[in-house]
Amino acid sequence: MPEWLETWRSPIAQDALRVGIILAIVGGYLGVYVVLKRIVFVGAALAQVSAAGVALAFLVGWNPLLSATLFALVGSVFFAQSWGERRISRESLIGAVFLTFSALTVLLASKGAHGMEEVQHLLAGDILAVSPEEVARIWALGVVVLAVFILLRKEFLLVAFDAETAQALGYRTRLWEFAFYLLLGGFIGVVIHLVGLVLIFGYLVLPALGGLMLARRMTQVVGVAVANALIATVAGLLVSILFDLPTTATMLVFMSALAGVESVVGAVRSR
């Protein structure tokens, strides 16, 4: 049996594949909302806030999962606030939060036992290092988050993209907005210390971009986004094993390639 096939069938690769599949489904689905709501950088900022929580946990001996989730939830509360008309734009505040917590992550990690190695892990992660217990935990969380979004998809869509109508129909839009950010932040907070900031951010952006360029109906966009994420996950894992490449980077290259091809196809079809 070829060596790469043995590696592919190993428990490590199969656990990484299982984690990648649930991340692809949930990330691809949530990513459509994130991109359509034009809050892509909120996703990046939440991931960076969670990373700072992990760095603090490593430094003081806390549980990194709980710390990252707590930081992400606090960040979600912050970003869920209504900004209205202010002198400083929302984008500026998101950028300030991202930069502040990026610096904080580096400072905290620099005082930890493994220094910059921890920073690199928080950025790139290592999906091949996920344990079987963590696989089960991520699947449980992913199924819960996905189920909530599917059950409440009409409400989330209405509040996100037609807030005035939602208010006229009696929806408490601030509460629904808050619930959306809590689910997004909770999901990011739980998985970031396992797979890294870059990979989870990629799942939230690139597959959805391809879906939006290729399809028109919401169900089709979600279907294409999830399919993109699944294809990139399986192909990225397999190619990284075959050619001994960094797994996260390989998966992201496939996500980018799919989004690029679908953008071209979408542009040609729209002429």
Side-chain angles (χ1 to χ4, degrees):
M1 182 183 295
E3 185 178 347
W4 71 267
L5 189 55
E6 288 186 18
T7 306
W8 177 250
R9 289 181 173 178
S10 68
I12 292 176
Q14 292 301 302
D15 284 343
L17 180 62
R18 293 187 187 96
V19 167
I21 287 173
I22 190 63
L23 290 181
I25 295 172
V26 179
Y29 188 94
L30 293 186
V32 174
Y33 285 81
V34 169
V35 174
L36 281 176
K37 281 170 67 66
R38 301 178 187 274
I39 56 169
V40 166
F41 290 107
V42 170
L46 277 176
Q48 189 58 66
V49 171
S50 300
V54 177
L56 178 63
F58 285 149
L59 182 63
V60 300
W62 291 350
N63 182 310
L65 169 62
L66 295 179
S67 182
T69 305
L70 177 63
F71 270 61
L73 293 179
V74 172
S76 301
V77 172
F78 177 78
F79 289 120
Q81 300 302 310
S82 176
W83 299 96
E85 295 296 327
R86 302 192 181 201
R87 186 176 178 183
I88 300 175
S89 68
R90 178 182 174 84
E91 288 73 20
S92 300
L93 287 171
I94 293 170
V97 170
F98 180 85
L99 291 171
T100 301
F101 280 86
S102 296
L104 191 60
T105 301
V106 173
L107 289 175
L108 291 170
S110 70
K111 294 298 181 183
H114 301 287
M116 296 309 294
E117 186 181 331
E118 291 176 1
V119 176
Q120 184 177 1
H121 177 74
L122 287 172
L123 286 174
D126 187 2
I127 198 171
L128 291 171
V130 176
S131 71
E133 294 77 17
E134 290 164 337
V135 174
R137 186 188 308 150
I138 292 177
W139 262 91
L141 171 75
V143 169
V144 169
V145 170
L146 196 62
V148 171
F149 262 91
I150 290 175
L151 288 172
L152 302 175
R153 64 187 184 284
K154 291 182 180 177
E155 288 81 0
F156 279 131
L157 280 172
L158 181 62
V159 171
F161 305 116
D162 195 354
E164 292 183 359
T165 301
Q167 284 181 330
L169 292 173
Y171 286 95
R172 299 176 66 181
T173 55
R174 291 283 304 279
L175 190 62
W176 283 100
E177 193 79 358
F178 183 60
F180 172 83
Y181 278 102
L182 277 185
L183 284 170
L184 179 64
F187 176 69
I188 292 173
V190 170
V191 302
I192 193 168
H193 76 290
L194 300 175
V195 300
L197 184 155
V198 177
L199 183 58
I200 192 62
F201 186 45
Y203 274 126
L204 289 174
V205 178
L206 295 171
L209 281 179
L212 287 165
M213 292 301 297
L214 194 63
R216 292 293 177 265
R217 294 177 180 275
M218 188 66 178
T219 52
Q220 294 173 340
V221 171
V222 170
V224 173
V226 172
N228 284 347
L230 286 170
I231 292 169
T233 298
V234 177
L237 269 173
L238 187 57
V239 170
S240 70
I241 289 171
L242 270 175
F243 298 98
D244 192 23
L245 296 170
T247 306
T248 295
T250 309
M251 291 164 69
L252 288 170
V253 165
F254 274 99
M255 289 185 209
S256 299
L258 286 168
V261 170
E262 287 162 353
S263 298
V264 172
V265 172
V268 171
R269 284 171 51 186
S270 63
R271 288 182 179 176

